[in-house]
Amino acid sequence: MAEPLTFTNVITPLLPIAKDLQAKGLEVFPKLPVVNLSKENFKPGASSWLGTSRKVREALEEFGCFVALYDEVSLELHNAIFSAAEELFNLPIEIKEKNVSEKPYYGYLGNNPLVPAIYEGMGVDYANTIEGTQNFTNLIWPEGNENFCKTVVSYSRLVSELEQMVKRMVFESYGVDKYYDSVLESSTYLLRIMKYRCPETNEKNLGCDVHTDKSFITVLHQNEVNGLEIRTKDGCWIGFDDPTPSSFIVLAGDAFLAWSNSRIHSPVHRVILNGIKQARYSLGLFTFNDGIIQIPEELVDDEHPLKFKSFEHFGLLRYYLTEEGQKAECTAKAYCSV
Ligand SMILES: O=C(O)CCC(=O)C(=O)O
Ligand SMILES: [Fe+2]
């Protein structure tokens, strides 16, 4: 029987051609897969849910990411969260530096030789909870900032619902939905608010160096200034160049790769700011799981022999900070392969 024409088997054969052209110095940017996840399009149990789940799984297996069209975040909230980001980064450095955390990469990242000079990041832990966001707000604005707090919680809750929908779809698509609730229960959400200022003359335009995420899933959202690039399995760079207020990049992290016994791909990505005229702001909602992540036995078979041991997710993140972890090509493989 002929292979069905899905977006992955249509796009994938074109990638080596794009890679060749890129190697010759030509700017060719194939597109990321796009999946419409706006709620009114389907309900659980309807056929479009199953078809969409398959698309989501295929995109994560082949590209490790896709553009989700999701209209739950209103334009008003979209504008409010980016204004909140601006307000936050306009604060004096000594206030921003108050945000420290024992969890690696959770506090203020900026003004630091470890990150590019044009980059700043601020982590809000447990951002989908009033308590988490209130703790952050109290630290930064002891006099209070109700508007910031409300905006961050509302945004993070809606985007965590998108993350949960994707996770449920993948679990169902693999027939392992019985593990969904326990994985959901241990999920925590870090919102990282990021700013990339315009590079000065002769300053490097690197915003974020090549890396894979250590999260289970990351959901990225940005203002109209481009720069995010994702590398395909065969080494072709795909730029995300048409952001809208309702487009979100859903990206699999190393923990999702390990959980799936290597079925899901965790893509290398970077941010490069070429000739930008205004600052780029982006938001990343990162899922990290408390405790141990188990690899479902159903995902182990002759074709997919067991590749990973159960692992502590925050252990993986801490390992990434070590000298050995920094050198590893794939953090999950180095940390918990069998
Ligand atoms: O700013 C972006 O779009 C991506 C940032 C990123 O990759 C990260 O924080 O892990
Ligand atoms: Fe990333």
Side-chain angles (χ1 to χ4, degrees), residues 43-294:
K43 296 251 173 343
S47 60
S48 62
W49 172 268
L50 289 179
T52 310
S53 301
R54 185 171 147 221
K55 268 193 186 178
V56 162
R57 176 176 55 75
E58 284 184 350
L60 292 175
E61 288 176 343
E62 191 54 40
F63 293 87
C65 66
F66 61 91
V67 180
L69 303 179
Y70 181 69
D71 56 15
E72 292 300 307
V73 176
S74 66
L75 187 58
E76 197 188 345
L77 182 56
H78 166 91
N79 291 338
I81 189 94
F82 284 103
S83 301
E86 263 187 77
E87 181 188 359
L88 181 65
F89 288 115
N90 282 341
L91 292 170
I93 183 91
E94 41 313 340
I95 306 241
K96 293 185 274 194
E97 282 180 338
K98 286 208 244 168
N99 182 24
V100 287
S101 171
E102 49 176 36
K103 295 178 182 168
Y105 303 102
Y106 268 58
Y108 174 65
L109 294 171
N111 191 28
N112 178 330
L114 294 176
V115 295
I118 60 173
Y119 171 89
E120 280 181 278
M122 269 287 207
V124 184
D125 200 4
Y126 302 107
N128 61 325
T129 71
I130 307 237
E131 204 194 346
T133 308
Q134 193 71 61
N135 283 344
F136 176 88
T137 310
N138 291 346
L139 179 77
I140 301 292
W141 291 281
E143 69 287 7
N145 189 339
E146 198 45 41
N147 191 37
F148 180 91
C149 200
K150 265 177 36 200
T151 302
V152 166
V153 177
S154 311
Y155 174 84
S156 304
R157 282 199 176 151
L158 291 167
V159 179
S160 70
E161 284 170 16
L162 168 62
E163 188 267 359
Q164 289 162 16
M165 186 185 347
V166 167
K167 202 153 59 185
R168 185 188 284 283
M169 286 178 152
V170 174
F171 278 49
E172 284 184 11
S173 199
Y174 284 135
V176 297
D177 30 317
K178 65 177 182 194
Y179 303 116
Y180 175 77
D181 286 343
S182 70
V183 170
L184 178 65
E185 246 165 61
S186 66
S187 298
T188 68
Y189 294 93
L190 165 74
L191 180 70
R192 191 181 298 132
I193 307 172
M194 295 170 272
K195 176 181 180 180
Y196 304 83
R197 65 162 170 77
C198 298
E200 284 157 20
T201 325
N202 299 327
E203 197 175 32
K204 275 198 186 147
N205 62 358
L206 183 68
C208 182
D209 213 343
V210 286
H211 68 283
T212 59
D213 286 0
K214 308 307 148 204
S215 55
F216 204 84
I217 292 180
T218 303
V219 184
L220 295 168
H221 191 53
Q222 62 167 81
N223 71 352
E224 61 279 22
V225 183
N226 296 329
L228 176 67
E229 295 178 7
I230 303 198
R231 200 170 75 193
T232 63
K233 286 180 184 172
D234 58 2
C236 185
W237 286 100
I238 306 188
F240 176 48
D241 53 10
D242 42 13
T244 68
S246 56
S247 53
F248 295 78
I249 302 273
V250 175
L251 191 137
D254 290 7
F256 207 4
L257 171 141
W259 171 87
S260 72
N261 197 24
S262 261
R263 286 167 159 83
I264 299 275
H265 177 59
S266 161
V268 168
H269 54 286
R270 66 182 178 194
V271 176
I272 300 212
L273 290 318
N274 269 327
I276 59 166
K277 303 274 181 301
Q278 65 179 95
R280 176 173 190 270
Y281 285 91
S282 68
L283 304 158
L285 191 73
F286 297 80
T287 320
F288 282 92
N289 289 69
D290 280 328
I292 306 285
I293 293 185
Q294 314 267 5

